[in-house]
Amino acid sequence: MPARKIDEDILMDKLTEVFRLHGYEGASLSLIAEATGLKRASLYHRFPGGKEEMAESVLQRADEWFVSHILAPLTGKGIPSARIKEMARRLNNFYGGGNSSCLLDSLSLGHDGDAIRQHIERSLTAWIGALVLVARDSGLSPAIAKQRAEEALIGIQGALVLARGTGNTKPFARVLQNLPQLLTVEAKKTKPKSKRSKS
Amino acid sequence: MPARKIDEDILMDKLTEVFRLHGYEGASLSLIAEATGLKRASLYHRFPGGKEEMAESVLQRADEWFVSHILAPLTGKGIPSARIKEMARRLNNFYGGGNSSCLLDSLSLGHDGDAIRQHIERSLTAWIGALVLVARDSGLSPAIAKQRAEEALIGIQGALVLARGTGNTKPFARVLQNLPQLLTVEAKKTKPKSKRSKS
DNA sequence: GTCTATAGCTTGATAGAC
DNA sequence: GTCTATCAAGCTATAGAC
């Protein structure tokens, strides 16, 4: 059974990579079969629901892995900035220093698939939620913590988009480096432009 | 000829929307034909190079439109913060308040197409370049201006990703509102973490 | 659990009438 | 300049041998 588990891990890794690189529509069964070394029929034996089930399985697994391996430090002990720094280190590794697209982004285009879209929304919301917790832990108010968490996720996703489009990964590194400050330090006073509300 | 021009503008608008919503692989000729009201053969009469030429034409047109209608205020006169505010206003309109994906992002997945990828890279670089100019105009140093310009683009793209994934467009509005400060105000002193280099 | 073979549909693209 | 009709190739998915 251990061998079987390893095989499945490798399979899922390959599967994930295809979806991440090509998106849902671009991830044809031919590409998937080639990448995994399994023939079409074998893929349908493991995923009776076809391509849609493959994508959902990939999302589900990535979700669990992300929470337990990337976000885990956030809920540990130690000062918040150190926990965030550790998450940033893992994020950098997870996204290949900025060279890998985010699966949630790649799968969020077209193809109507309702389940996938809902899954993506839940994952992003959970991610923000974890960031809010550590930001609150560092003493930020609920409203500010929410804004900063969203800002952090925006920075990560935006930097990945920029890196994919231009090949420049330095902004991604900079975003990661600024995460501890972003999620812990109270904002310096800036002229309050009158109106300002919650997110 | 004016009627012809209007027809072509409408056609290109529809075409752009299909690529923006579905990406390159997801934008099938069936979808395109349905959206534009033209049959496949008619599309090939206008775009002998097929789908690839359609995508490139869409990119080319969006590029020109973006420079002349969105980035134009940046190179005008008036104080930089006012120019940036005007650009932000137009950006908000262009991206439907955050509800519309960025074409450059949608077309940057999979499908090997070399010309398209190069076009996207040029467009993003030009966009950053325009932001650098106005940031420098406001007195920021070259190095800081470059970082801020990248940060601005990251914020916009990241907020669009977040909005597409979660449906929440408020972070996008916040990003736009913060653009004037981001691209004009010198950073408040933050503990210099030792190493720090150019982007 | 993986394979070969194949079904049935959709894809991108072309030929030729009007 | 748009259409109908058609093509070969690709697609997702299934049947059934091993």
Side-chain angles (χ1 to χ4, degrees):
Chain A
M1 204 219 296
R4 176 63 170 71
K5 181 64 166 61
I6 287 177
D7 282 356
E8 180 146 328
D9 268 354
I10 295 177
L11 169 69
M12 291 303 291
D13 281 347
K14 300 289 190 183
L15 198 52
T16 303
E17 197 188 8
V18 177
F19 278 114
R20 193 175 51 72
L21 288 175
H22 300 89
Y24 186 84
E25 308 283 353
S28 69
L29 289 190
S30 303
L31 277 177
I32 294 173
E34 185 184 13
T36 60
L38 282 181
K39 300 298 181 183
R40 283 170 167 75
S42 305
L43 290 166
Y44 275 92
H45 176 262
R46 302 203 181 213
F47 305 96
K51 197 169 148 180
E52 185 104 9
E53 185 180 340
M54 296 181 207
E56 283 181 43
S57 295
V58 157
L59 272 177
Q60 178 68 28
R61 176 169 174 275
D63 230 10
E64 293 163 0
W65 202 92
F66 195 83
V67 169
S68 66
H69 288 78
I70 309 291
L71 301 183
L74 292 184
T75 56
K77 44 190 176 184
I79 60 174
S81 73
R83 285 186 263 157
I84 296 167
K85 213 173 284 184
E86 172 61 15
M87 176 198 65
R89 200 184 61 79
R90 299 186 185 192
L91 272 178
N92 185 56
N93 186 63
F94 183 69
Y95 288 116
N99 289 298
S100 301
S101 301
C102 177
L103 181 69
L104 298 176
D105 182 21
S106 296
L107 284 179
S108 68
L109 264 193
H111 106 86
D112 340 303
D114 209 44
I116 290 179
R117 206 173 289 272
Q118 280 180 274
H119 197 134
I120 291 173
E121 178 173 350
R122 282 200 309 273
S123 298
L124 289 175
T125 304
W127 191 349
I128 292 176
L131 294 173
V132 166
L133 284 184
V134 73
R136 292 224 54 192
D137 243 21
S138 79
L140 295 181
S141 72
I144 296 293
K146 176 108 184 293
Q147 287 191 10
R148 298 296 188 88
E150 289 169 347
E151 212 174 314
L153 187 50
I154 283 173
I156 293 165
Q157 295 293 338
L160 290 176
V161 169
L162 188 63
R164 185 172 67 210
T166 68
N168 182 13
T169 59
K170 283 170 187 157
F172 178 73
R174 228 162 47 222
V175 164
L176 292 187
Q177 214 140 18
N178 290 336
L179 281 183
Q181 187 183 20
L182 176 65
L183 293 169
T184 60
V185 182
E186 189 66 51
K188 41 284 144 196
K189 183 173 299 179
T190 158
K191 43 182 174 182
K193 286 281 304 175
S194 68
K195 65 181 176 202
R196 180 91 280 132
S197 68
K198 72 180 189 303
S199 165
Chain B
M1 203 216 299
R4 176 65 171 70
K5 183 62 167 59
I6 288 177
D7 283 355
E8 180 147 328
D9 269 354
I10 294 177
L11 169 68
M12 292 301 293
D13 282 348
K14 301 288 191 185
L15 198 51
T16 302
E17 197 188 7
V18 176
F19 278 115
R20 193 175 52 73
L21 287 176
H22 299 90
Y24 186 84
E25 308 284 353
S28 69
L29 288 190
S30 303
L31 277 177
I32 294 173
E34 186 185 11
T36 61
L38 283 183
K39 300 297 182 183
R40 281 172 167 74
S42 305
L43 289 167
Y44 276 90
H45 177 261
R46 302 203 182 212
F47 306 97
K51 197 169 148 179
E52 185 104 10
E53 185 180 340
M54 296 180 207
E56 284 181 41
S57 295
V58 158
L59 272 177
Q60 177 69 30
R61 177 169 173 275
D63 230 10
E64 293 164 0
W65 201 92
F66 195 83
V67 168
S68 67
H69 289 78
I70 309 291
L71 302 182
L74 293 184
T75 57
K77 44 191 174 183
I79 61 174
S81 73
R83 286 186 261 158
I84 296 166
K85 212 172 286 184
E86 172 63 15
M87 177 197 65
R89 200 184 59 78
R90 298 187 184 192
L91 272 177
N92 185 56
N93 187 63
F94 183 69
Y95 288 115
N99 289 299
S100 301
S101 302
C102 177
L103 181 70
L104 299 176
D105 182 21
S106 297
L107 284 179
S108 68
L109 264 192
H111 107 86
D112 338 304
D114 209 43
I116 290 179
R117 206 172 288 274
Q118 281 180 273
H119 197 133
I120 291 173
E121 178 173 350
R122 282 200 309 272
S123 297
L124 290 174
T125 304
W127 190 351
I128 292 176
L131 295 173
V132 166
L133 284 184
V134 73
R136 291 223 54 194
D137 242 21
S138 79
L140 296 180
S141 72
I144 297 293
K146 178 105 182 293
Q147 287 190 11
R148 298 295 187 85
E150 289 170 346
E151 212 174 313
L153 187 50
I154 284 173
I156 294 165
Q157 295 293 338
L160 290 176
V161 169
L162 188 64
R164 185 173 66 210
T166 68
N168 181 12
T169 59
K170 284 170 188 157
F172 178 73
R174 228 162 47 222
V175 164
L176 292 187
Q177 213 139 16
N178 289 337
L179 282 183
Q181 187 182 19
L182 176 65
L183 292 169
T184 60
V185 181
E186 190 67 52
K188 41 283 144 196
K189 184 174 296 177
T190 157
K191 44 182 174 183
K193 287 278 307 173
S194 68
K195 66 182 176 199
R196 180 90 281 133
S197 67
K198 70 182 190 309
S199 162

